[in-house]
Amino acid sequence: SYEPTWGSLDARPLPAWFDEAKFGVFIHWGVFSVPSFGSEWFWWYWQKEKRAPYVKFMEANYPPGFSYEDFGPLFTAEFFDPNQWADILKASGAKYVVLTSKHHEGFTLWGSKYSWNWNAVDVGPKRDLVAELATSVRNRTDLHFGLYHSLFEWFNPLFLEDATNVFKTRKFPTSKSLPELYELVTKYQPEIIWSDGDGNAPDTYWNSTGFLAWLYNDSPVRDTVVTNDRWGVGSICTHGGFYTCSDRYNPGHLLPHKWENCMTIDKKSWGYRRNAQLDDYLTIEDLVKQLVETVSCGGNLLMNIGPTHDGRIAVIFEERLRQMGAWLKVNGEAIYGTKPWKAQNDTVTPGVWYTFSPKEGKVNAIFLNWPVSGMLELGEPQAKLGETQVKLVGYEELLKWVALGEKGIVIALPQLTPQQLPCQWGWTLQLTDVN
């Protein structure tokens, strides 16, 4: 039983499934998907910061007096097919999905009784989007279903009143934020609670430790649920389950605590942008590199897409997801269920990252560039003559190799045409019986 203290909560072992999963898909969807301009922070940039591009965009395209709330009914989701989404998610090779149940705008994608007339059942789609996606994901895939939830809301009067009182009053968390969290967990039983948006308030204001103690002790998901580290000022990268540390966090070296790199395919935004250019999207080569670097350093990759206001996963996002799935179909054994090896990347050849498969006792060397010479030199593995075997994943025959003194090995790659290659964008060498 866990006490509502960080000391007690932080001692909870992270359920094993999360580390084994390695790869998840983040989905940022909400009223911000209607203007779908600039950023999912549209409301804040337009109304609070009054940034010129946002102000001009509204003046040019909407009548005077048009409010952000007026976007609500335009969030229609008429093309939202949760079964299709689930099938795309499955095809991506992801092992979990995290949907924004509520972003900083306060609009809930479920019919929350704590968000009267500002939710997807009362306004817009008139559908419980959380329930529909949860059902499809659970019926059609083996992905773990998770939910993002923003603690604060930019313009909620109760939050603004508490902020004015330097968070000495707690009207907002007690009447809105916490009841929503309990409602989400009991109703949808998510296996990830991805918290965000502390509004510069401490965890004591949010009663984060009280909620997490309930989550770990008494909730319907107490044995399998994982949480992140965004539970109030000062908790990020310090307290909670896995650490996110910052958006797009990719340290490039091994960390002692389980962590996650949450990042976006669209380099500039988490929500959908109608004005995105092709160059704004990461290529599949970029994404495979992110995955390999992240996993070799002990992290998970949470890769974000932003659906449209009418409920479509844009074709470019679908293509990237399916490409990732195609790559993982070949190389998944070097990703899923692996542990970091003694070295994370190679010292001699750049663009080579290592993982270790404990069950098989194999070292996986994932290389992102196929050498022109056909020879790949690795500085880290210690090969043993007559014992070490080297295999290219997806290719039948064993590869020839030569040891370089105490440490290091040169591997002769097979001469293959592009059509004969087992995959594109990165390849895995499996080394057995190395020291």
Side-chain angles (χ1 to χ4, degrees):
S1 153
Y2 296 95
E3 298 298 313
T5 63
W6 285 125
S8 176
L9 298 166
D10 290 345
R12 175 184 184 253
L14 198 69
W17 74 260
F18 184 77
D19 177 53
E20 288 163 11
K22 304 300 182 192
F23 176 46
V25 174
F26 215 170
I27 303 177
H28 271 67
W29 198 30
V31 172
F32 50 80
S33 309
V34 179
S36 50
F37 172 88
S39 166
E40 73 290 344
W41 278 57
F42 185 94
W43 195 1
W44 182 261
Y45 292 156
W46 168 41
Q47 291 285 8
K48 181 71 179 172
E49 295 189 0
K50 303 203 178 341
R51 292 190 183 185
Y54 295 83
V55 173
K56 283 180 186 146
F57 172 80
M58 289 307 296
E59 283 171 356
N61 299 290
Y62 293 91
F66 191 96
S67 70
Y68 189 81
E69 289 86 340
D70 293 328
F71 284 124
L74 305 177
F75 177 54
T76 46
E78 67 266 33
F79 294 124
F80 173 53
D81 177 352
N83 287 343
Q84 185 203 19
W85 281 28
D87 293 347
I88 293 170
L89 290 167
K90 185 179 182 174
S92 77
K95 297 296 182 190
Y96 61 101
V97 57
V98 179
L99 172 70
T100 51
S101 70
K102 183 194 83 171
H103 203 259
H104 314 321
E105 62 188 16
F107 187 92
T108 66
L109 298 192
W110 80 101
S112 176
K113 53 176 183 275
Y114 306 101
S115 191
W116 180 80
N117 222 30
W118 191 233
N119 68 72
V121 175
D122 292 339
V123 179
K126 306 278 172 78
R127 294 163 69 176
D128 186 329
L129 305 174
V130 173
E132 289 188 38
L133 188 61
T135 301
S136 289
V137 164
R138 285 167 176 152
N139 287 346
R140 299 172 83 88
T141 80
D142 60 357
L143 274 81
H144 296 264
F145 183 76
L147 292 171
Y148 164 109
H149 175 269
S150 172
L151 290 169
F152 91 129
E153 295 170 18
W154 290 313
F155 299 111
N156 190 298
L158 294 176
F159 176 74
L160 296 175
E161 187 186 328
D162 286 346
T164 304
N165 299 329
V166 207
F167 305 116
K168 297 286 182 277
T169 53
R170 296 184 57 249
K171 282 186 186 173
F172 181 72
T174 51
S175 64
K176 183 81 165 63
S177 215
L178 284 163
E180 276 175 354
L181 275 168
Y182 287 109
E183 186 181 42
L184 275 177
V185 173
T186 45
K187 214 168 170 180
Y188 307 108
Q189 307 191 4
E191 289 182 282
I192 303 155
I193 294 284
W194 214 101
S195 183
D196 191 28
D198 58 40
N200 298 321
D203 64 79
T204 47
Y205 169 78
W206 298 112
N207 190 27
S208 298
T209 56
F211 169 74
L212 290 171
W214 170 81
L215 188 70
Y216 296 166
N217 291 326
D218 303 310
S219 81
V221 286
R222 59 186 173 273
D223 297 327
T224 57
V225 74
V226 296
T227 59
N228 66 343
D229 55 350
R230 303 186 180 192
W231 294 100
V233 168
S235 73
I236 195 166
C237 223
T238 310
H239 295 304
F242 60 89
Y243 293 170
T244 63
C245 300
S246 69
D247 293 350
R248 302 179 180 84
Y249 184 67
N250 188 1
H253 57 86
L254 190 60
L255 294 187
H257 190 96
K258 184 64 196 182
W259 61 282
E260 182 185 70
N261 171 4
C262 64
M263 44 70 72
T264 59
I265 297 175
D266 175 349
K267 298 174 220 173
K268 297 183 176 178
S269 174
W270 297 79
Y272 180 69
R273 292 188 307 136
R274 285 178 290 161
N275 56 323
Q277 307 290 308
L278 183 61
D279 196 40
D280 295 334
Y281 297 107
L282 292 174
T283 64
I284 184 59
E285 290 86 353
D286 297 328
L287 296 170
V288 167
K289 183 172 183 272
Q290 285 275 335
L291 177 68
V292 171
E293 289 177 3
T294 299
V295 172
S296 66
C297 295
N300 281 14
L301 186 74
L302 184 61
M303 188 169 92
N304 178 73
I305 61 170
T308 61
H309 78 280
D310 53 14
R312 290 172 296 115
I313 293 174
V315 175
I316 186 112
F317 290 134
E318 181 180 350
E319 181 183 51
R320 292 291 182 273
L321 291 171
R322 291 187 184 277
Q323 286 172 322
M324 200 69 138
W327 189 83
L328 282 161
K329 223 183 182 80
V330 176
N331 301 281
E333 51 196 300
I335 299 292
Y336 306 125
T338 59
K339 297 280 179 223
W341 193 45
K342 62 174 187 181
Q344 276 59 68
N345 56 332
D346 198 63
T347 40
V348 176
T349 304
V352 180
W353 294 82
Y354 294 101
T355 63
F356 181 68
S357 303
K359 285 194 187 103
E360 300 83 13
K362 287 176 184 167
V363 174
N364 308 297
I366 307 169
F367 60 107
L368 300 172
N369 304 301
W370 193 280
V372 177
S373 66
M375 296 289 173
L376 188 70
E377 186 181 339
L378 300 178
E380 288 301 324
Q382 286 176 281
K384 293 181 280 191
L385 206 61
E387 293 180 48
T388 300
Q389 290 192 337
V390 181
K391 190 177 183 301
L392 175 67
V393 174
Y395 178 75
E396 281 310 299
E397 293 157 49
L398 291 173
L399 307 189
K400 294 187 170 61
W401 59 269
V402 182
L404 298 173
E406 280 296 282
K407 200 170 155 189
I409 179 174
V410 176
I411 298 153
L413 297 172
Q415 291 187 318
L416 302 173
T417 66
Q419 283 71 34
Q420 291 172 313
L421 285 172
C423 58
Q424 302 175 71
W425 319 309
W427 303 268
T428 302
L429 292 173
Q430 282 183 336
L431 292 75
T432 41
D433 290 310
V434 290
N435 283 334

